[in-house]
Amino acid sequence: VKPLYPKATLELFGSSANGFGIFSSDLDLCLLMNETYECEKSEIIEKIAKSIKKNSRYNRVIPVLTARVPIVKLSINKWKIDCDISMENCLALQNTKMLATYAGIDVRVRVLGYFVKCFAKVCDMCDA
């Protein structure tokens, strides 16, 4: 990302960052541009996907441009971890901080959160 957008940063969010993740969790990364660009988010996501595809450390690089939040889906070969990169997903970053705070209050919150997530997946709710 740095060669394309030098001021951009990637921030970890989601279950890997908030304490609710498990061994099989994917990595959710949010691209923060930290400057203004005169193009659509989907164009930037597509450009990043093309750049990542050139790197042999990653495979299954797929830009999902029609999603509510456009993302690049990829797999990191070395660790065999799936990863999603979204852009300027500030609400997700704030939700991650909130859930991490809840998880830090009492260890039982993480257990409860995991069961709620499993329930939502089984019931095919909320894209869990």
Side-chain angles (χ1 to χ4, degrees):
V1 174
K2 284 289 184 191
L4 295 173
Y5 305 103
K7 293 185 179 179
T9 57
L10 288 170
E11 298 286 331
L12 184 65
F13 73 95
S15 62
S16 296
N18 64 22
F20 290 90
I22 59 172
F23 181 74
S24 62
S25 295
D26 68 349
L27 290 179
D28 295 302
L29 298 169
C30 178
L31 177 66
L32 299 173
M33 298 305 288
N34 301 319
E35 61 185 316
T36 304
Y37 288 92
E38 296 297 323
C39 56
E40 296 291 321
K41 287 181 181 179
S42 59
E43 292 176 56
I44 294 172
I45 289 291
E46 188 170 32
K47 190 174 181 181
I48 289 169
K50 285 179 183 177
S51 177
I52 292 172
K53 282 182 181 181
K54 296 175 186 174
N55 190 323
S56 63
R57 290 182 283 190
Y58 309 103
N59 66 9
R60 296 192 327 258
V61 180
I62 303 166
V64 182
L65 306 175
T66 57
R68 183 177 48 84
V69 176
I71 62 171
V72 177
K73 298 181 84 54
L74 60 104
S75 182
I76 303 169
N77 293 333
K78 184 176 182 178
W79 297 295
K80 296 180 179 21
I81 296 174
D82 291 329
C83 178
D84 295 339
I85 302 173
S86 60
M87 185 177 154
E88 302 290 344
N89 197 352
C90 297
L91 180 60
L93 293 172
Q94 292 303 315
N95 286 342
T96 296
K97 290 177 185 174
M98 178 186 65
L99 288 171
T101 300
Y102 293 163
I105 293 171
D106 188 322
V107 69
R108 295 173 293 179
V109 173
R110 288 172 52 186
V111 175
L112 177 63
Y114 180 73
F115 281 113
V116 169
K117 183 172 182 170
C118 289
F119 176 79
K121 278 189 176 191
V122 168
C123 296
D124 196 26
M125 299 168 54
C126 305
D127 193 32

